[in-house]
Amino acid sequence: LTGQTITITGGAGFIGSRLAATLAPDNDVRILDDLSTGTARNVPDEATLIEGDVRTSTTVGKALDGADLVFHEAANPSVSRSIDAPLESHSRNVEGTLTVLEAARSDAARVVTASSTAVYGTPETVPVAEDADLNPSSPYGLEKLTADRYTQLYNDLYDLPTVSLRYFNVYGPGQTGGDYSGVISIFLEQATADEPITVDGDGQQTRDFVHVDDVIRANIAAATTEATGEAFNVGTGTSVTITELAETIRELTDADSEIEYVDSRPGDIRHSRADLSKASRLLDYAPEIGLEDGLRTLLE
Ligand code: UD2
């Protein structure tokens, strides 16, 4: 992508800021972020930060004015937060997406929306393809499903080119420990401090961990694909159990940490692994970074 005017909502967050850093050298990149979970420090020098809420039409209208392309990454990213405060999470994830789609409609800008594997809930079988049953098991999953479907509807009803990308478990540089963070950054922090690694439940739940740079590649493919009005899985097609992940991280960090089993999380998905046939066929997407290599580069 070059010479485009691009708005990235959530561009001060983990995935959005990586996307911004990739695109800012060759494009006019604007970031809309309320800095609720992201930070201004993440914003690359070449990009412009508009601090504001993705649910406020006037702010979003300004951020999207003249844009060719919108990457919508702003969201409440936390499943547990959506269970504790469903109304707030719904408004961020559903109204936020609808507000962005509405602004994009008046600009005729292409929209690539960050959706989630949470739309499937625990799938009947893995790997899970895009046409599987959608049975979200948390408010977050239902919100992402609604946002995913709104994104497709705008393509069909208003002739706006849109794509939904259903991210699996994204990890990589810039994902920090703490409440909103992924298990990999939490385990790495625990292991490097030689503290116990806390596995929720029996540790036999599985996840498909995809490196953020593969997610960026999928977004760039979605920005130009002719296959609009579609949803695509973005994962690696492989999975590990959380216990295996804990053991791998312990080995790679040479930690003396114990693995400590604690209560499982409500709404937790049991198994998750992406079928990438559709993304491979229509987006020419293929993940390039395996889990062990990805973990090693994080430790360098
Ligand atoms: C991920 C996404 C979420 C949503 C969801 C869809 C992240 C951070 N979140 O949630 O936004 O898209 O997928 O299903 O990527 N765990 C531990 N110990 C810990 C922390 C976590 O055992 O200290 C377990 C946790 O119970 C879960 C697994 O590790 O079984 C992954 O947890 P997570 O929070 O990284 O991601 P997940 O799948 O809940």
Side-chain angles (χ1 to χ4, degrees):
L1 291 181
T2 53
Q4 305 231 10
T5 301
I6 301 174
T7 304
I8 304 176
T9 72
F14 163 48
I15 300 170
S17 67
R18 191 81 172 170
L19 194 53
T22 307
L23 298 174
D26 305 314
N27 299 277
D28 175 13
V29 172
R30 282 181 221 154
I31 286 171
L32 173 65
D33 202 299
D34 70 353
L35 305 181
S36 57
T37 53
T39 63
R41 249 183 305 119
N42 285 342
V43 172
D45 288 340
E46 307 100 314
T48 314
L49 172 65
I50 300 167
E51 201 179 323
D53 196 306
V54 82
R55 295 164 290 188
T56 309
S57 297
T58 47
T59 311
V60 176
K62 238 182 270 164
L64 264 65
D65 187 35
D68 304 302
L69 177 63
V70 182
F71 293 103
H72 177 43
E73 310 300 312
N76 158 44
S78 162
V79 174
S80 58
R81 186 109 210 259
S82 82
I83 294 173
D84 294 344
L87 205 52
E88 169 71 10
S89 183
H90 177 95
S91 112
R92 285 181 180 279
N93 292 348
V94 179
E95 284 169 37
T97 302
L98 200 48
T99 308
V100 168
L101 288 167
E102 271 297 278
R105 176 156 78 105
S106 49
D107 268 302
R110 175 181 286 238
V111 182
V112 180
T113 297
S115 182
S116 168
T117 176
V119 300
Y120 301 114
T122 294
E124 296 267 311
T125 53
V126 286
V128 62
E130 290 83 349
D131 58 1
D133 287 348
L134 305 172
N135 288 311
S137 55
S138 64
Y140 174 88
L142 184 55
E143 293 152 13
K144 283 286 175 177
L145 171 55
T146 309
D148 180 302
R149 281 295 164 85
Y150 265 127
T151 300
Q152 292 172 55
L153 268 183
Y154 267 64
N155 186 92
D156 301 347
L157 291 177
Y158 306 117
D159 229 8
L160 190 73
T162 67
V163 178
S164 294
L165 296 180
R166 295 177 179 166
Y167 300 163
F168 282 63
N169 284 64
V170 189
Y171 73 98
Q175 189 176 41
T176 45
D179 282 358
Y180 300 107
S181 200
V183 64
I184 287 184
S185 54
I186 295 171
F187 283 3
L188 282 172
E189 261 184 24
Q190 291 170 333
T192 47
D194 275 325
E195 281 166 9
I197 297 177
T198 52
V199 171
D200 302 335
D202 64 4
Q204 292 308 300
Q205 67 272 40
T206 56
R207 289 294 185 277
D208 181 339
F209 290 103
V210 57
H211 193 278
V212 64
D213 289 343
D214 282 325
V215 173
I216 301 312
R217 278 186 273 275
N219 272 278
I220 290 171
T224 54
T225 185
E226 283 170 21
T228 62
E230 300 284 340
F232 296 99
N233 286 342
V234 179
T236 65
T238 57
S239 62
V240 292
T241 68
I242 298 303
T243 295
E244 282 163 355
L245 176 72
E247 284 165 353
T248 305
I249 286 179
R250 192 166 57 175
E251 267 165 44
L252 290 174
T253 53
D254 258 329
D256 295 321
S257 302
E258 302 282 316
I259 294 180
E260 193 177 290
Y261 289 87
V262 301
D263 288 347
S264 66
R265 286 187 186 173
D268 198 41
I269 281 165
R270 192 66 184 162
H271 296 298
S272 175
R273 176 154 68 93
D275 182 324
L276 298 177
S277 316
K278 185 178 175 187
S280 153
R281 187 161 42 87
L282 296 175
L283 291 183
D284 203 20
Y285 166 76
E288 293 178 11
I289 306 170
L291 182 56
E292 282 219 15
D293 287 343
L295 290 173
R296 273 203 196 89
T297 55
L298 272 183
L299 287 165
E300 270 163 17

